[in-house]
Amino acid sequence: MSKSSAFATLPGALPGLMMDRPLLVTPLLEFAAQYHGDTEIISRSVEGPIHRITYAGLWTRTQKLAHTLVALGIKPGDRVATLAWNHWRHIELYFAVAGIGAICHTINPRLSGDQMKYIIDHAEDKLLFFDLTFADAVAANCKGSPSLKARIALSDAAHKPANPVLADVLMYEDLLAAQPDLYDFPEFDENTAASLCYTSGTTGHPKGVLYSHRALTLHSYAVCTTATMGLSVHDRALPVVPMFHVNAWGLPYAAPMSGCSLVMPGAKLDGPSLFDLMDTENVTCSQGVPTVWMGLLAAMRDKGRKPKALTRVLVGGAAVSEMLIDAFEKEFGVEVNHAWGMTEMTPLGVVNTLKPRFLKQTRAEQMPQKLKQGRAIFGVDLRIVDEDGKALPHDGKSAGHLQVRGPWIVKQYLKGGESPLTADGWFDTGDIATLDPDGYMQITDRAKDVIKSGGEWISSVDLENAALGHPKIAQAAVIGMPHEKWLERPLLICVANGPDKPTLDEVNEYLVSKVPKWWLPDAIAFVEAIPLGATGKIQKTKLREQFKDFAFKSTP
Ligand code: AMP
């Protein structure tokens, strides 16, 4: 039960007579060890070989790690950083750190050196556990931080990094080997922080989101329902989404809750490597961003088949295209579920599963619904509001600022100043969206990326997705550029699919049947590569900087 409830007791109401047991995350692993003790966690290790361990084995090692942390001086509230891929040792860290009341701070290794240093100092991390892959980054960026007491490489003595700057590094396996098998984990308030993840920070400094045990546990229940990922004891899930990006969408917690087996890809996230691991380990479901699925699609086409047990993939982080859904579902019989969420939401917000009446439709009729980000789930309240904060109708047409509320949604950032919430307690996602009467939400843009043309909004995301269907375009980004008559008009920036670059007229001829005519880009430009941030999202701030001197030739 929440001890710090902000809600009043109604006069005359009777308190329920149920036990006051806290919702803590470490018992999730203990449960799996007890009742799914022989279920496997299979990982592609950073050292090379495939590694296999059961939930029972993982639980013993987690207890040894808890002893190790205490021996290294870690106390409740301390932050313990990780710079690691998806594998069994990273799972041990999730549960051991949180189990002793400390906080597992997962750092995104794709951050720049300055950003990495900034968040280590901001979080005041005491320890840093890192994969051998990141030894050079640690040597370059993770020194001189006043809070850091020790750095530990996630491997054994045989793999000690040779870099002399890392001479003082401790080796994980050596530390664990010296510790006893049993640890008596304490029970404490479920509102205690368990993990920390910084936002991708495309503007300003990244901000720390501090997840509580309660939020992570409730979120795990949501992940297991069939309205979302439907994780079950029959599944073997392969989260491609990294454990440093919003707790791998909650899978390391939800899998032990459901008894699902985990297959962890380590550092190899390319299509052929994922195909092989999925195929040999009979993976049934997998979760990741669209670019990952493009890689797997190429590998499936290469082999002429899907990984043999794969039935469904969850796509989030960026909008999924019709082409990708069709290729997976029609060519290979693998169901695609679109999903949306964010770091501030632990991260699950909506997932697209079709209600019965849509199942009676033809594929073509279903597609607009499948392309929406997903359907409301219990635990995440959604609303859309206009510029003045006035609620807009859920008619599937009115687009407004998407705001959310719920027990696994941020209320304040770590060391944050002003509350990020609205006066009436909602969190503004920064996304622009529609909501339909069935509860399906569709993102039309980021608030800061929407193109304001003559008082109307043009969705840069929709334009990008439409442009991506053109055979001569490999990658596309759309930004609004100043325009003397319309205030802003769209500039389409592309990476061409080969030497033959399409003209603006050619592209617009293709787009005219797909988007409103007044949305058609006024200019097209080609670049070698579209800049992507640490979580794979297009960095429009960089593009705006790159094209700051651009001017439309004539008023259309
Ligand atoms: P992050 O906190 O890095 O996970 O980023 C969250 C943001 O990613 C959201 O606010 C959206 O702008 C974007 N996003 C996540 N999922 C989707 C999706 N399925 N379609 C479009 N944008 C998405």
Side-chain angles (χ1 to χ4, degrees):
M1 192 192 79
S2 166
K3 292 199 175 63
S4 55
S5 171
F7 295 95
T9 306
L10 294 176
L14 277 184
L17 293 175
M18 292 291 130
M19 287 187 193
D20 182 8
R21 302 284 304 147
L23 298 174
L24 301 175
V25 293
T26 304
L28 290 170
L29 188 61
E30 186 178 17
F31 167 82
Q34 187 172 6
Y35 297 110
H36 305 282
D38 55 358
T39 298
E40 280 186 317
I41 289 87
I42 298 126
S43 312
R44 199 190 285 280
S45 71
V46 168
E47 296 92 334
I50 297 288
H51 176 274
R52 316 185 86 87
I53 190 167
T54 61
Y55 275 122
L58 203 67
W59 177 234
T60 304
R61 283 173 53 88
T62 299
Q63 295 180 79
K64 284 172 168 288
L65 178 55
H67 281 291
T68 307
L69 294 165
V70 172
L72 289 169
I74 296 303
K75 299 199 166 44
D78 284 347
R79 272 76 79 191
V80 172
T82 64
L83 205 49
W85 298 107
N86 293 9
H87 51 62
W88 79 106
R89 294 182 179 122
H90 207 173
I91 304 179
E92 291 160 8
L93 279 157
Y94 266 38
F95 288 104
V97 173
I100 62 167
I103 298 155
C104 184
H105 171 201
T106 52
I107 302 180
N108 186 337
R110 298 180 188 129
L111 290 174
S112 69
D114 282 352
Q115 281 176 320
M116 213 178 266
K117 193 160 168 24
Y118 169 83
I119 65 169
I120 289 176
D121 290 343
H122 187 265
E124 298 174 67
D125 293 324
K126 291 264 165 61
L127 301 177
L128 171 68
F129 289 83
F130 66 94
D131 271 337
L132 297 171
T133 343
F134 306 123
D136 289 344
V138 171
N141 309 315
C142 309
K143 54 175 190 275
S145 290
S147 60
L148 267 189
K149 305 282 176 252
R151 297 174 295 177
I152 300 113
L154 289 164
S155 190
D156 51 28
H159 293 89
K160 182 146 180 152
N163 190 331
V165 180
L166 299 177
D168 62 344
V169 154
L170 305 171
M171 299 309 292
Y172 185 83
E173 293 300 336
D174 299 358
L175 294 176
L176 255 62
Q179 297 297 339
D181 284 355
L182 296 178
Y183 186 89
D184 192 12
F185 284 103
E187 289 190 333
F188 45 84
D189 182 0
E190 65 189 21
N191 288 299
T192 304
S195 71
L196 171 66
C197 181
Y198 279 71
T199 59
S200 38
T202 41
T203 50
H205 278 308
K207 295 193 274 282
V209 181
L210 205 49
Y211 308 99
S212 65
H213 284 257
R214 171 184 159 81
L216 291 166
T217 310
L218 292 173
H219 183 268
S220 303
Y221 279 114
V223 168
C224 294
T225 65
T226 49
T228 68
M229 299 188 212
L231 272 200
S232 87
V233 73
H234 306 291
D235 277 316
R236 295 168 71 83
L238 188 153
V240 188
V241 52
M243 290 176 72
F244 53 75
H245 191 190
V246 217
N247 312 311
W249 298 350
L251 280 133
Y253 302 108
M257 175 181 269
S258 63
C260 156
S261 186
L262 279 172
V263 182
M264 303 302 252
K268 293 209 167 160
L269 306 180
D270 59 287
S273 303
L274 287 176
F275 184 102
D276 285 348
L277 192 60
M278 287 177 175
D279 201 40
T280 46
E281 297 301 340
N282 294 311
V283 166
T284 59
C285 62
S286 188
Q287 303 76 22
V289 296
T291 42
V292 160
W293 304 127
M294 292 304 290
L296 184 69
L297 178 62
M300 292 198 295
R301 283 183 171 158
D302 216 32
K303 305 246 185 208
R305 67 177 181 92
K306 64 170 188 164
K308 55 182 175 296
L310 188 67
T311 60
R312 62 195 198 277
V313 295
L314 191 86
V315 191
V320 65
S321 66
E322 181 168 348
M323 182 285 286
L324 196 80
I325 297 182
D326 262 348
F328 268 71
E329 295 194 345
K330 285 196 347 211
E331 283 179 45
F332 297 104
V334 175
E335 187 183 340
V336 175
N337 297 115
H338 199 182
W340 165 89
M342 58 194 306
T343 309
E344 285 89 338
M345 301 176 66
T346 314
L348 216 58
V350 300
V351 179
N352 199 323
T353 54
L354 290 182
K355 283 186 172 180
R357 69 188 174 82
F358 296 112
L359 296 176
K360 296 186 192 120
Q361 296 178 330
T362 63
R363 258 196 92 72
E365 287 167 341
Q366 277 175 1
M367 194 46 85
Q369 207 63 23
K370 282 178 80 76
L371 283 168
K372 295 189 177 191
Q373 269 65 18
R375 183 158 61 83
I377 56 175
F378 182 76
V380 181
D381 298 342
L382 303 166
R383 73 176 183 188
I384 44 170
V385 301
D386 67 12
E387 295 291 326
D388 303 320
K390 191 164 76 53
L392 293 171
H394 295 189
D395 56 10
K397 295 188 192 77
S398 310
H401 297 272
L402 177 63
Q403 300 185 340
V404 292
R405 194 176 66 172
W408 57 81
I409 290 159
V410 75
K411 70 174 175 194
Q412 181 56 285
Y413 294 103
L414 178 64
K415 300 180 185 169
E418 216 175 295
S419 165
L421 306 188
T422 62
D424 59 349
W426 292 69
F427 177 76
D428 194 303
T429 63
D431 288 322
I432 304 293
T434 61
L435 273 167
D436 72 18
D438 284 299
Y440 287 81
M441 184 277 281
Q442 184 156 35
I443 303 267
T444 58
D445 219 330
R446 288 293 289 168
K448 58 185 176 357
D449 296 337
V450 78
I451 297 155
K452 292 180 176 143
S453 170
E456 297 287 345
W457 286 358
I458 297 176
S459 160
S460 65
V461 173
D462 285 358
L463 256 184
E464 284 157 10
N465 283 340
L468 275 177
H470 193 285
K472 292 184 187 168
I473 297 179
Q475 288 174 42
V478 175
I479 54 173
M481 297 305 292
H483 190 277
E484 53 185 16
K485 181 170 175 197
W486 300 108
L487 206 65
E488 273 186 355
R489 290 292 301 158
L491 163 67
L492 171 64
I493 302 166
C494 303
V495 175
N497 215 352
D500 183 14
K501 294 179 180 152
T503 62
L504 179 65
D505 286 346
E506 242 179 295
V507 174
N508 281 350
E509 205 173 301
Y510 170 81
L511 290 176
V512 75
S513 61
K514 301 183 166 51
V515 298
K517 195 152 182 275
W518 57 276
W519 283 26
L520 295 180
D522 289 20
I524 188 166
F526 290 91
V527 290
E528 286 298 310
I530 303 268
L532 299 180
T535 51
K537 294 187 210 299
I538 298 175
Q539 284 187 307
K540 295 209 174 163
T541 38
K542 285 226 169 120
L543 283 176
R544 286 194 192 97
E545 178 57 29
Q546 202 175 329
F547 284 87
K548 67 178 187 305
D549 299 327
F550 172 90
F552 290 114
K553 281 211 186 82
S554 59
T555 306

